[in-house]
Amino acid sequence: FYASAAQIGPPAGNLLANGVLAALGALLTEAQFESWGWRVAFLLSGVLVAFGLWIRAKLEETPVFKAMEAEHTRPEAPIREVFTTQPRALLATILCRVGPDVLYAMFTVFVLTYATKELGMSRGSALAAVLIGSSLQVFLMPLAGALSDRINRRLLYGCAAVAAGVWPFVFFPMIHGGTWLPLATGVVVGLVIHCCLYGPQAAFIAEQFSPRLRYTGSSLAYTLAGIIGGAIAPLLFTSLLSAYGTWVPLAAYIAIASAVSLAGVWLGRDPEAAIDEDTRLAAPKAPAAADATRSV
């Protein structure tokens, strides 16, 4: 539940970005916006950077990390150690991220292009569907994280990955008529499925690595998966649609990405093992025999 707070960032950022652009568009003329108004959005982002730095400076380290610092057991070459000692955990976490990233790229980015270019809908109506889905995600993301604390996290992730692979084959025929309500419903359902993947994701990834390699392993997983997942997804969607002229390859691409995530979930470990390891490391250490003797 607490790890899912960071996962709210993408939908919240989507709402903030579009909200700022909408406000600037309403307050400024087109000439003003093109001259200097567009810079306002970039300057406002500096406020978010300062806020993020303030949070990071005030954030306390976990008891597990403090215990490792006290015992001087932090790794000297963590990247090398992750690759050599925990390759399965790294592979599982990279694979589990691919599906959610591709799904999100479809239902927040490429769906705007598809709705306007292929269905003849206005960009405003397509954007409204995405913003409604993003608004719901802000609240559903932590709920999905909390749900994964109460049922098996791998089971929830796996079921959501299956749903992510199936839904595009329902979504595209459903919006074929080019009306707004089916589009909005389809986008909302797609983003709800994404919540069930992305909400538990931060906890699932952290649980795959031993505490002394958790920071590095998680960072590698997010970075490497971002390259092969969300970074290239819009380009692949565009290329597939241009080459085949139909939605079927798009849905197949999402299904393959979801299957990749399902493989990552299968390779991963259950949270109980990570919880037991954290509890053992963070537990107060018994005094040494010599210290006990001096106390007596």
Side-chain angles (χ1 to χ4, degrees):
F1 171 72
Y2 290 108
S4 68
Q7 308 301 86
I8 297 174
N14 198 11
L15 289 172
L16 282 173
N18 285 288
V20 167
L21 289 177
L24 291 173
L27 296 173
L28 305 176
T29 65
E30 185 174 350
Q32 289 173 327
F33 182 84
E34 292 180 355
S35 175
W36 57 268
W38 61 270
R39 294 181 172 87
V40 174
F42 288 93
L43 292 173
L44 288 176
S45 70
V47 178
L48 295 178
V49 173
F51 181 64
L53 289 173
W54 177 78
I55 290 178
R56 186 63 188 90
K58 297 294 183 180
L59 197 65
E60 291 188 4
E61 299 292 355
T62 64
V64 173
F65 188 82
K66 289 180 179 178
M68 287 190 297
E69 279 195 317
E71 296 178 8
H72 305 289
T73 57
R74 295 173 60 185
E76 294 183 0
I79 295 178
R80 182 181 63 192
E81 195 168 335
V82 168
F83 278 101
T84 56
T85 65
Q86 300 194 19
R88 176 168 178 159
L90 182 60
L91 180 61
T93 51
I94 291 174
L95 296 181
C96 82
R97 270 185 50 81
V98 173
D101 280 9
V102 172
L103 187 72
Y104 193 72
M106 166 55 71
F107 286 105
T108 61
V109 180
F110 189 74
V111 71
L112 300 175
T113 300
Y114 190 86
T116 54
K117 302 297 184 183
E118 298 298 315
L119 303 179
M121 301 178 67
S122 68
R123 183 172 180 83
S125 61
L127 184 59
V130 173
L131 292 180
I132 290 171
S134 297
S135 301
L136 292 174
Q137 278 198 305
V138 172
F139 302 99
L140 293 178
M141 204 75 77
L143 290 179
L147 179 62
S148 75
D149 289 333
R150 288 160 177 77
I151 65 175
N152 185 279
R153 203 177 332 275
R154 290 174 69 203
L155 177 62
L156 176 62
Y157 210 111
C159 291
V162 172
V166 172
W167 181 244
F169 292 94
V170 179
F171 170 73
F172 284 106
M174 184 174 72
I175 65 172
H176 185 70
T179 55
W180 183 80
L181 185 58
L183 176 70
T185 302
V187 169
V188 166
V189 172
L191 292 180
V192 168
I193 294 172
H194 179 261
C195 285
C196 294
L197 290 161
Y198 204 63
Q201 187 181 93
F204 178 79
I205 289 177
E207 289 161 352
Q208 302 310 306
F209 299 97
S210 62
R212 64 192 302 274
L213 296 172
R214 187 166 290 163
Y215 282 4
T216 304
S218 299
S219 298
L220 285 171
Y222 274 91
T223 302
L224 296 176
I227 295 172
I228 63 176
I232 64 172
L235 297 176
L236 284 179
F237 283 136
T238 302
S239 299
L240 289 171
L241 186 61
S242 176
Y244 296 98
T246 177
W247 59 267
V248 176
L250 309 180
Y253 172 37
I254 298 173
I256 292 171
S258 300
V260 169
S261 286
L262 200 59
V265 173
W266 178 77
L267 286 171
R269 65 174 180 171
D270 280 323
E272 287 75 13
I275 293 172
D276 292 342
E277 194 173 1
D278 288 359
T279 302
R280 176 178 57 80
L281 287 171
K285 301 297 184 291
D291 291 339
T293 303
R294 281 196 295 270
S295 297
V296 173

